[in-house]
Amino acid sequence: MDNKCDKCGKPAPIHVFDIIQGQKIEKHYCNQCAVSEGVAFHYHMTLSQILEEFVLQGGEQTGALDPVCDVCGMRFSEFRQQSLLGCPHDYDAFAEAMLPLLERAQGGATQHVGKVPHRAGGDQKKHTALLRLRAELKNAIVAEDYEKAAMLRDQIKELDNT
Amino acid sequence: MTYPFLGDPAQYVGEWLCGTGPMVDVAVSSRVRLARNLAGIPFLSRCSVGQKRELETRLRREIAACPIAEKVFYIDISTSAEVDRRLLVERHLISREHAEAEHPRGVAVSADETVAIMVNEEDHLRIQVLRSGLQLIETAQRIQQVDDALEDRLDFVFHSRYGYLTACPTNVGTGLRVSVMLHLPALKMTGEIEKAFRAARDLQLAVRGLYGEGTEATGDFFQVSNQTTLGKKEEDIIEEFRQQIVPRFVDYERRARDGLLKRQNTALEDKIFRSLALLRSTRMIGSDETMYLLSLVRLGVSIEKIKDVDLRTVNELFLLTQPAHLQRMLKREMDPQTRSAARAEYLRRRLGASSS
Ligand SMILES: [Zn+2]
Ligand SMILES: [Zn+2]
């Protein structure tokens, strides 16, 4: 997005136009200014904005702590940068650091109350084992260790079919 | 199997454009989407290209084996032409991000375009159901059917506390996002829109002043959606939208329309018929101006000022005059100038040009 906000110069994802006496007038706004100008209201706050706000409010008690997921290798700091998690295990690996963020993003809720899959959860241990094997496989391929990769692939196949 | 509209997009348009359904004068369409991920497989940010390709192949196969709809087409986005990807965005079947990504990915679409399942978007699966007007019960039931059918064959990752796990924690829990597209031209004209949205803020809603998901912006279309996905049951989220949120906006807008009709009837008629006349006689027109004028025509049809054009035609024109649709219908690539002329010609043809 190369447009800049007419009000404050930040990147502007929101564009509106008016046609006044046959002249088209285009306006660009960032999320905040779109709200203050009455163009958009209460936009989806992105996780990165929540993260930013969270730091500004001094809510980061974890300090230098930067938990890492031992399954996929994702660091909490990396998650903060891209707002996307690496694997399902991250929800537990980052539990302490993430809970206040989740609460903030989810209007205070921290417990699911809706639909449960009819084959609920399946075999948790198996799924975590599969996640680990898949992470190892990815590393083996990066390291061009094709022998190991082939072995891991067989293991995944075997476990996946049980 | 190729998807029918890729050949002739004007021949087939999605059900959501049909212009029927409750409160369709204001509530243009209802959309529900679910975010789902497979257990035992990392989220996409941690998948290698090879793993993404494997995942895409597997999901494509599993979706094909699921009784989701009578006819389901699968479109491989990574090998699709740019104009086809834009066509899918314009039809609200894939997100702009999905169109522009570079990894193995696709979308499965039911023949009537009510169901679309994006494969390898931000989550492994993004299921969407889209219908005309305010049809949230039907939309929600349909998406649960699709979800159940997929669940018979796939293990979705589920957490006892956080529910369905998603790549971004803002979607965790139900993974459910309800969006209703509202046409609010009268509130815009009377300057009351701000007041209406202040109420939305208190209800924890996200409102975007956009046509669809960032396709084209016009000041009169707004998308209202739920902000949170955790801590509420699916039915409760849907019911709140159906019984409170949407009717409230519809009521505001209808009252603003009544007010204009009572107090500024001539000025309103002038705006509406001037727009229609322009669309019927223009020789060159850009897509933004088209949207702007069509919005006023849509209002004219909704309040029964314009009687020789129906809502379906107006809805279709919003879609078919967008750049990718125009190029595909006329079967050639065009520079913006030629496109403006082609758009004008098409509008004149569909709206019944005034003589000459
Ligand atoms: Zn700004
Ligand atoms: Zn992880």
Side-chain angles (χ1 to χ4, degrees):
Chain A
M1 206 72 64
D2 39 13
N3 283 309
K4 295 220 162 35
C5 174
D6 293 348
K7 290 270 152 190
C8 73
K10 274 196 263 180
I14 294 174
H15 318 290
V16 291
F17 62 90
D18 256 314
I19 294 176
I20 297 165
Q21 292 172 339
Q23 273 303 96
K24 185 176 136 189
I25 296 166
E26 235 178 297
K27 293 170 185 165
H28 308 282
Y29 297 108
C30 70
N31 285 319
Q32 283 88 340
C33 294
V35 173
S36 61
E37 290 297 296
V39 176
F41 271 79
H42 214 83
Y43 53 89
H44 272 294
M45 199 141 149
T46 64
L47 196 68
S48 56
Q49 287 170 310
I50 293 171
L51 286 161
E52 205 176 291
E53 200 179 274
F54 189 65
V55 175
L56 288 175
Q57 289 170 348
E60 203 183 20
Q61 292 116 344
T62 38
L65 211 67
D66 186 13
V68 53
C69 170
D70 69 335
V71 175
C72 75
M74 176 72 90
R75 289 188 166 279
F76 187 68
S77 53
E78 227 178 307
F79 158 65
R80 299 183 53 131
Q81 267 172 20
Q82 58 173 34
S83 302
L84 291 173
L85 294 162
C87 83
H89 189 67
D90 298 1
Y91 280 93
D92 293 318
F94 304 157
E96 208 183 320
M98 202 159 68
L99 199 62
L101 289 173
L102 201 69
E103 257 186 296
R104 176 78 184 76
Q106 294 288 354
T110 57
Q111 174 69 53
H112 175 61
V113 294
K115 185 174 184 176
V116 175
H118 45 250
R119 294 193 302 182
D123 186 345
Q124 210 59 49
K125 270 197 195 128
K126 176 181 134 182
H127 292 147
T128 309
L130 276 170
L131 278 175
R132 280 184 208 280
L133 287 169
R134 287 193 163 109
E136 277 181 56
L137 171 62
K138 195 176 135 191
N139 293 337
I141 290 169
V142 171
E144 297 184 23
D145 187 345
Y146 298 116
E147 215 172 301
K148 191 176 174 195
M151 198 185 73
L152 287 163
R153 219 175 251 128
D154 289 343
Q155 283 182 6
I156 290 169
K157 211 177 223 171
E158 201 179 315
L159 190 57
D160 216 1
N161 289 331
T162 52
Chain B
M1 195 159 15
T2 55
Y3 193 58
F5 78 74
L6 294 180
D8 186 358
Q11 275 293 303
Y12 307 88
V13 295
E15 185 273 350
W16 69 280
L17 286 163
C18 73
T20 58
M23 303 188 198
V24 78
D25 57 321
V26 180
V28 181
S29 61
S30 307
R31 180 198 341 227
V32 178
R33 76 111 167 99
L34 293 172
R36 295 288 186 258
N37 290 276
L38 299 195
I41 296 176
F43 295 136
L44 287 159
S45 71
R46 270 294 200 250
C47 282
S48 65
V49 177
Q51 284 173 327
K52 286 177 187 168
R53 188 171 304 121
E54 223 172 278
L55 183 59
E56 193 260 348
T57 311
R58 177 172 167 203
L59 288 170
R60 178 202 296 226
R61 197 182 54 226
E62 295 295 341
I63 291 168
C66 271
I68 290 163
E70 214 169 296
K71 228 176 190 177
V72 177
F73 300 91
Y74 189 88
I75 302 155
D76 184 336
I77 306 288
S78 35
T79 59
S80 294
E82 201 201 329
V83 63
D84 289 339
R85 283 182 274 140
R86 291 188 54 187
L87 215 55
L88 290 163
V89 175
E90 290 176 2
R91 286 174 103 85
H92 297 188
L93 295 172
I94 64 172
S95 64
R96 192 170 263 199
E97 292 74 25
H98 204 48
E100 288 166 4
E102 277 168 358
H103 59 265
R105 66 205 189 283
V107 64
V109 182
S110 69
D112 64 357
E113 293 181 33
T114 50
V115 183
I117 306 171
M118 284 191 277
V119 172
N120 285 0
E121 211 246 19
E122 187 179 293
D123 294 294
H124 297 164
L125 291 172
R126 282 283 177 96
I127 312 162
Q128 134 176 328
V129 175
L130 181 60
R131 313 271 319 238
S132 172
L134 185 66
Q135 297 194 60
L136 284 172
I137 291 186
E138 299 78 358
T139 307
Q141 276 172 352
R142 187 78 178 92
I143 207 161
Q144 291 308 336
Q145 281 171 5
V146 175
D147 188 40
D148 288 343
L150 288 166
E151 231 172 58
D152 281 340
R153 304 187 64 92
L154 299 164
D155 266 332
F156 292 143
V157 60
F158 186 84
H159 190 281
S160 55
R161 177 165 189 186
Y162 301 134
Y164 289 94
L165 297 184
T166 50
C168 179
T170 51
N171 296 313
V172 83
T174 56
L176 179 129
R177 189 87 58 203
V178 185
S179 310
V180 176
M181 205 209 289
L182 301 168
H183 186 219
L184 307 174
L187 282 173
K188 200 78 199 298
M189 274 181 222
T190 58
E192 292 169 301
I193 201 124
E194 195 164 342
K195 212 167 62 191
F197 285 141
R198 216 167 294 140
R201 200 161 9 180
D202 301 335
L203 293 167
Q204 283 226 333
L205 298 172
V207 180
R208 307 196 353 145
L210 296 169
Y211 181 69
E213 236 162 347
T215 28
E216 289 289 339
T218 101
D220 300 338
F221 288 97
F222 294 86
Q223 189 168 283
V224 189
S225 44
N226 58 314
Q227 186 101 299
T228 60
T229 52
L230 184 67
K232 265 189 209 165
K233 283 188 184 163
E234 289 83 355
E235 308 89 270
D236 296 343
I237 300 174
I238 298 284
E239 278 308 287
E240 202 185 351
F241 259 77
R242 195 178 73 86
Q243 297 190 340
Q244 296 169 32
I245 294 162
V246 179
R248 189 192 295 212
F249 282 105
V250 171
D251 185 48
Y252 287 152
E253 170 66 15
R254 283 180 181 166
R255 264 194 255 178
R257 289 178 187 182
D258 285 346
L260 287 171
L261 282 167
K262 273 193 204 111
R263 286 182 290 278
Q264 300 174 51
N265 189 41
T266 312
L268 181 65
E269 282 187 342
D270 182 67
K271 263 194 168 175
I272 287 167
F273 287 107
R274 198 182 276 268
S275 302
L276 182 60
L278 206 50
L279 289 171
R280 275 177 167 160
S281 56
T282 180
R283 292 298 189 269
M284 271 177 97
I285 190 165
S287 76
D288 284 355
E289 193 183 354
T290 304
M291 297 274 166
Y292 175 85
L293 297 170
L294 278 174
S295 167
L296 288 164
V297 170
R298 192 183 199 278
L299 174 64
V301 174
S302 292
I303 60 175
E304 292 171 356
K305 291 274 184 203
I306 297 174
K307 297 200 175 86
D308 58 342
V309 179
D310 59 14
L311 212 48
R312 186 190 178 107
T313 304
V314 182
N315 285 350
E316 282 187 21
L317 287 175
F318 272 110
L319 178 69
L320 298 174
T321 55
Q322 288 183 47
H325 272 81
L326 216 52
Q327 298 198 22
R328 196 23 80 82
M329 274 189 316
L330 298 164
K331 302 203 189 320
R332 61 196 156 99
E333 258 183 60
M334 291 177 280
D335 59 62
Q337 266 213 340
T338 330
R339 208 152 61 207
S340 292
R343 180 178 293 113
E345 198 188 311
Y346 186 70
L347 283 163
R348 295 205 312 275
R349 183 147 56 87
R350 289 291 304 267
L351 290 170
S354 48
S355 55
S356 94

